[in-house]
Amino acid sequence: MPRSTVARINLEALRRNYQAACGRAGGAQVMAVVKADGYGHGIGPVASALNSLVPKFAVACLEEAMAIRESGLEQPIVLLQGVHAGPDVVECVQNDFEPVLHSVQQLEWLEHYDQVPGHWLKVNSGMNRLGFHPDELAGVMARLEAKKASERLLGFVTHFACADDAESAMTAEQTSVFEQATAPWPGLMKSVGNSAAHFLAGQPLFDWSRPGIMLYGGSPLIGKTGLELGLEPVMSLEAPLISTRVVRAGASVGYGAGWVADRDTRMGMVAIGYGDGYPRHAGTNTPAAINGQRIRLIGRVSMDMLAVDLTGAPEAREGDNVELWGRTVSVDEVAACAGTISYELLTGITSRVTRQYR
């Protein structure tokens, strides 16, 4: 029998989170971002579960878009990084993929073909990662018009650097830059809204929003959990308690003897570790739960197991399932304890962990 370390995926919660995004999008349509294997939840099952609700998907790259097509879904798919080689332009035409152009090289690839896909232009409004500077847009548009590729231009996108910080003025500044840069072409669509933007009062989302982490129940805002934002956890990461013992006062647990009992303590070992994608830097006092009761990690996380303090769950026995994150313990809480974000935790779960869907 395989070990029972599993990620239980609640697809109905996924659908409800998507509907919550729609409710916060104002007049914008909502494309579902399912990149990075559906944020670690499985791109095929995630996209299929959203199929009846979603008018458009978004992914990072061509391979992810092909995985959606292999699942039998027909919606247009936005490639957020665009194409990575010239021949990819042909693939986009044949499969109704919509690449985002962000560089001169991609523009040159597009110019090479008579038939081009529907596409978007990325505007660098201040994040300084990808995209054309506002001063470059007129020249780019002229090149597209010279090849009549502008007839297939769908619109403009940008990406916010600080939307997770509700106190930052940068999101409003980027929005202003984006609006001014695209004003000469009023008939084209606009897309700016990541998950965090859905929660910023007064933030325009224009024509298309692009929620990602919020679909999976993770928080896009600093200092908030998904549960606090009204989102439902989609993944419950669970592993069995495989051993219990009493650690005497003064004895240590785990590598480096990093945790020492200050009193006799009943502890347990759980069959999950950083080899499964659980964060190694989630140390003592990181929350977990067993039988609905919150407990805490103690000592260092090992590759295949971790230790928990069972003081708060005196009835716990070997074979009981431990929730590492899910409904009782938010993935955002665990991420904060590990000095990271829920995005990294969800996408980092390895293939050793079985996904179970309902």
Side-chain angles (χ1 to χ4, degrees):
M1 292 290 290
R3 65 177 189 156
S4 54
T5 300
V6 299
R8 303 188 194 280
I9 312 297
N10 184 340
L11 296 174
E12 188 56 40
L14 173 77
R15 286 188 282 266
R16 286 193 289 267
N17 289 338
Y18 175 80
Q19 291 167 331
C22 293
R24 288 183 166 274
Q29 295 190 78
V30 180
M31 66 179 80
V33 181
V34 296
K35 62 182 180 175
D37 196 28
Y39 283 58
H41 294 68
I43 192 169
V46 162
S48 295
L50 293 172
N51 182 38
S52 63
L53 300 174
V54 172
K56 197 186 294 275
F57 290 104
V59 297
C61 56
L62 190 71
E63 301 94 309
E64 294 173 335
M66 292 302 296
I68 294 175
R69 287 288 178 264
E70 290 165 5
S71 295
L73 308 186
E74 299 179 352
Q75 288 93 331
I77 304 172
V78 177
L79 306 184
L80 296 172
Q81 283 188 7
V83 293
H84 291 266
D88 293 348
V89 173
V90 177
E91 292 285 349
C92 290
V93 172
Q94 294 174 343
N95 292 283
D96 198 15
F97 299 156
E98 301 173 0
V100 173
L101 305 186
H102 59 76
S103 71
V104 172
Q105 183 179 53
Q106 290 179 330
L107 183 59
E108 291 171 349
W109 288 335
L110 198 74
E111 290 172 331
H112 181 74
Y113 295 94
D114 293 329
Q115 189 176 8
V116 301
H119 56 279
W120 301 75
L121 287 183
K122 186 158 195 174
V123 180
N124 177 12
S125 61
M127 190 168 186
N128 292 314
R129 208 171 52 169
L130 297 175
F132 296 101
H133 189 274
D135 293 343
E136 299 176 298
L137 281 185
V140 172
M141 290 296 291
R143 290 180 64 166
L144 291 175
E145 289 165 2
K147 289 286 292 184
K148 296 190 182 300
S150 61
E151 297 174 2
R152 298 287 288 144
L153 178 61
L154 300 171
F156 302 96
V157 305
T158 197
H159 196 58
F160 293 138
C162 299
D164 59 340
D165 182 357
E167 302 301 317
S168 173
M170 188 170 181
T171 303
E173 293 169 2
Q174 285 190 258
T175 302
S176 178
V177 168
F178 180 75
E179 288 187 288
Q180 293 177 37
T182 59
W185 303 279
L188 294 171
M189 294 187 293
K190 300 179 180 68
S191 175
V192 302
N194 56 6
S195 288
H198 290 72
F199 295 91
L200 300 181
Q203 172 61 44
L205 298 184
F206 300 102
D207 301 292
W208 283 94
S209 76
R210 311 188 303 269
I213 190 65
M214 70 178 293
L215 302 183
Y216 310 95
S219 172
L221 297 183
I222 295 172
K224 296 285 187 180
T225 68
L227 293 171
E228 289 171 338
L229 294 176
L231 304 171
E232 297 184 46
V234 175
M235 178 189 293
S236 179
L237 183 64
E238 301 175 10
L241 193 66
I242 57 173
S243 174
T244 65
R245 72 178 65 242
V246 174
V247 179
R248 300 300 179 189
S252 63
V253 171
Y255 286 120
W259 180 82
V260 178
D262 58 6
R263 53 179 170 73
D264 290 358
T265 304
R266 185 166 178 260
M267 57 83 72
M269 298 305 302
V270 186
I272 193 169
Y274 60 80
D276 303 287
Y278 190 86
R280 181 175 180 271
H281 297 294
T284 296
N285 294 327
T286 299
I290 189 166
N291 301 325
Q293 298 171 302
R294 289 171 68 97
I295 55 176
R296 63 172 186 148
L297 271 62
I298 52 177
R300 290 186 189 173
V301 174
S302 302
M303 182 181 290
D304 310 305
M305 66 189 85
L306 53 81
V308 292
D309 180 351
L310 295 175
T311 302
E315 304 301 318
R317 296 290 181 267
E318 292 178 14
D320 288 351
N321 266 0
V322 175
E323 177 194 295
L324 286 310
W325 61 67
R327 288 197 165 274
T328 306
V329 174
S330 169
V331 64
D332 300 301
E333 292 182 81
V334 179
C337 290
T340 186
I341 54 177
S342 58
Y343 306 66
E344 182 180 16
L345 299 193
L346 294 173
T347 60
I349 296 301
T350 69
S351 59
R352 190 163 73 168
V353 178
T354 301
R355 274 70 167 175
Q356 294 182 354
Y357 297 91
R358 68 179 179 87

